[in-house]
């Protein structure tokens, strides 16, 4: 498996092109799996379930429609995006388990900073209790092509949370539910520190997932 960390901001169309090419290469056996850590410039993306009415300010930032699952979400500086291109044929060919492993990856990463991230039935992503409410700290959106995954997760380290105001994040209209970040919770981290935690937690979350490891 290859790990890649991009410096600076990666434009969304560039990221899509890289993922598409890598998925094809993984499928044909000409490239290894890839976990790609990056940041995007401010933008909104719409998944396959996105509703037009949930895009509140369509002229605020560029908007990209994408084939991943889910609804509208925001990407921008200070948010760590992790795109996971994994071959489920060589792992457990179970998409639900893959999504649960992604959730576990986020939860274990946050736990390294004493932040309790939790799943919620009926709500995608990872949530934290914050000031008497529940706020979303990480989003998940995936696509699988011939058992090779792409897209992935986005964790709010220190983005501008006001940028989420241009959309209804993930289609959740409940005003008791918001969006938060590690910085908003009082944890000021460098992206390098966070990346170290991500890498360590990945090994734990996906432990035993490789079919070959059990043989």
């Amino acid at each position: 498996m290859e790990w890649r960390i991009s410096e600076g901001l990666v434009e969304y169309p560039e990221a899509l092109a890289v993922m598409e090419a890598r998925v094809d290469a993984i499928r044909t056996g000409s490239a290894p799996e890839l976990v790609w850590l990056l940041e995007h410039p401010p933008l909104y993306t719409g998944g396959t379930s996105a509703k037009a009415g949930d895009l509140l300010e369509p002229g605020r930032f560029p908007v990209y429609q994408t084939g991943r699952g889910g609804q509208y979400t925001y990407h921008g500086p200070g948010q760590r995006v992790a795109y996971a291109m994994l071959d489920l044929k060589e792992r457990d060919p179970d998409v639900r388990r893959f999504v649960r492993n992604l959730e576990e990856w986020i939860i274990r990463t946050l736990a390294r900073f004493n932040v309790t991230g939790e799943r919620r039935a009926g709500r995608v992503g990872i949530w934290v209790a914050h000031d008497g409410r529940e706020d979303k700290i990480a989003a998940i959106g995936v696509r699988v092509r011939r058992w090779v995954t792409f897209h992935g997760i986005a964790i709010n380290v220190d983005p501008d949370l006001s940028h989420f105001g241009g959309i209804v994040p993930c289609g959740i209209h409940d005003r008791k539910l918001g969006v938060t970040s590690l910085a908003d919770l009082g944890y000021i981290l460098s992206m390098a520190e966070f990346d170290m935690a991500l890498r360590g937690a990945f090994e734990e979350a996906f432990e035993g997932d490789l079919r070959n490891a059990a043989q």
Side-chain angles (χ1 to χ4, degrees):
M1 169 182 277
E2 176 188 352
W3 283 78
R4 181 185 303 174
I5 302 176
S6 290
E7 300 295 334
L9 303 179
V10 179
E11 296 290 341
Y12 196 73
E14 176 188 346
L16 282 179
V18 170
M19 284 193 287
E20 292 274 356
R22 189 57 168 249
V23 165
D24 288 343
I26 292 170
R27 186 174 57 81
T28 61
S30 58
E33 295 178 317
L34 172 65
V35 176
W36 185 16
L37 308 182
L38 55 87
E39 294 172 84
H40 287 303
L43 57 91
Y44 299 127
T45 65
T48 54
S49 302
K51 300 178 178 64
D54 288 344
L55 182 59
L56 305 178
E57 299 180 31
R60 187 172 184 179
F61 298 126
V63 180
Y64 298 97
Q65 300 301 323
T66 177
R68 64 157 175 80
Q71 302 188 47
Y72 279 108
T73 194
Y74 165 78
H75 293 311
Q79 182 189 71
R80 179 47 97 206
V81 174
Y83 290 135
M85 286 146 271
L86 306 181
D87 187 353
L88 295 188
K89 295 193 307 297
E90 297 299 322
R91 296 173 176 270
D92 187 335
D94 183 330
V95 176
R96 288 186 179 181
R97 175 173 174 172
F98 170 64
V99 172
R100 190 161 185 86
N101 286 347
L102 291 177
E103 293 171 340
E104 189 66 20
W105 183 19
I106 298 167
I107 290 169
R108 287 175 178 266
T109 300
L110 295 175
R112 282 165 156 74
F113 304 105
N114 297 313
V115 174
T116 301
E118 298 177 302
R119 302 174 176 91
R120 286 292 180 264
R123 288 192 242 141
V124 180
I126 297 300
W127 299 76
V128 297
H130 182 212
D131 292 338
R133 52 186 287 151
E134 287 189 339
D135 289 340
K136 190 171 188 175
I137 197 169
I140 299 173
V142 301
R143 187 174 180 183
V144 180
R145 179 183 296 159
R146 297 183 182 178
W147 294 110
V148 180
T149 70
F150 55 127
H151 297 278
I153 64 176
I155 307 175
N156 298 331
V157 178
D158 188 15
D160 185 337
L161 294 179
S162 71
H163 289 178
F164 285 89
I167 57 172
V168 177
C170 300
I172 297 172
H173 292 263
D174 190 336
R175 296 193 177 188
K176 296 179 182 179
L177 305 174
V179 180
T180 192
S181 67
L182 284 168
D184 190 42
L185 295 173
Y187 298 89
I188 308 302
L189 307 168
S190 70
M191 203 61 83
E193 289 177 285
F194 191 72
D195 288 346
M196 288 180 62
L198 268 175
R199 186 156 186 171
F202 181 91
E203 302 299 333
E204 296 174 0
F206 286 84
E207 183 178 10
D209 197 48
L210 280 170
R211 290 172 128 192
N212 294 341
Q215 295 176 357

